Amino acid sequence: MGILFTPSTPRSDSAQVHIIYNLNFTLYLMESKDVAIRFNDCINNHNLDELTKLMTEDFRFIDSENNGFQGKEKAIKIWKEFFVKYPEYQNIFDNVRSKGDITLFIGYSVCSDKKWEVKGIRKATVKDNRVA
């Protein structure tokens, strides 16, 4: 468990940086883009434990067909079922851009069910070092 500090002065590159001190007072810097990339890595590795740690309580998901859900507990249940049903699912991004707390991923998904093979842009919003 750590203490989160967000700098009051914006960085020149417009990236939001979170400074985290753990109990040993080791300094970690996490940009919103890094949090969003870690979140996607958890999806690609089907790592539900780490994915859970990276979600806000009010996490919101909207798919390419504009269907969605809200809430961390619901997300955990859905991701768990999804990982079992589609163990080969992967997101592949050609371009990742970030400004402030928003990260855009440009690319596609690979899956045995062609319904989930979607090209496009995904968006992640990061709040307090978690995807919202």
Side-chain angles (χ1 to χ4, degrees):
M1 186 125 203
I3 303 168
L4 175 68
F5 297 93
T6 303
S8 58
T9 53
R11 289 180 37 160
S12 60
D13 63 359
S14 300
Q16 184 174 349
V17 176
H18 301 281
I19 301 170
I20 303 173
Y21 293 91
N22 68 12
L23 294 178
N24 296 322
F25 298 102
T26 306
L27 176 66
Y28 297 95
L29 295 175
M30 288 294 296
E31 292 189 14
S32 294
K33 179 179 179 178
D34 297 328
V35 174
I37 290 170
R38 280 181 53 205
F39 188 84
N40 184 67
D41 288 345
C42 291
I43 293 171
N44 284 350
N45 293 312
H46 300 203
N47 186 337
L48 189 59
D49 291 336
E50 289 301 312
L51 191 66
T52 299
K53 293 175 189 175
L54 291 172
M55 279 187 267
T56 61
E57 291 301 320
D58 62 345
F59 174 81
R60 188 173 64 147
F61 180 87
I62 301 171
D63 68 16
S64 61
E65 296 175 349
N66 211 27
N67 299 312
F69 58 85
Q70 186 165 355
K72 184 176 186 174
E73 292 305 316
K74 186 164 188 158
I76 292 167
K77 180 181 182 285
I78 289 171
W79 280 118
K80 184 176 184 178
E81 292 170 0
F82 189 85
F83 292 156
V84 169
K85 193 169 183 178
Y86 306 108
E88 76 295 337
Y89 181 85
Q90 297 281 296
N91 288 317
I92 300 168
F93 299 120
D94 303 316
N95 198 335
V96 180
R97 295 181 182 205
S98 185
K99 184 171 184 177
D101 61 354
I102 304 290
T103 300
L104 298 177
F105 296 93
I106 303 164
Y108 60 97
S109 299
V110 176
C111 186
S112 60
D113 185 336
K114 300 304 178 200
K115 171 185 175 181
W116 298 109
E117 287 200 347
V118 180
K119 290 182 182 181
I121 299 172
R122 281 116 172 129
K123 174 183 152 186
T125 302
V126 175
K127 287 194 254 180
D128 299 327
N129 256 14
R130 289 181 176 79
V131 176

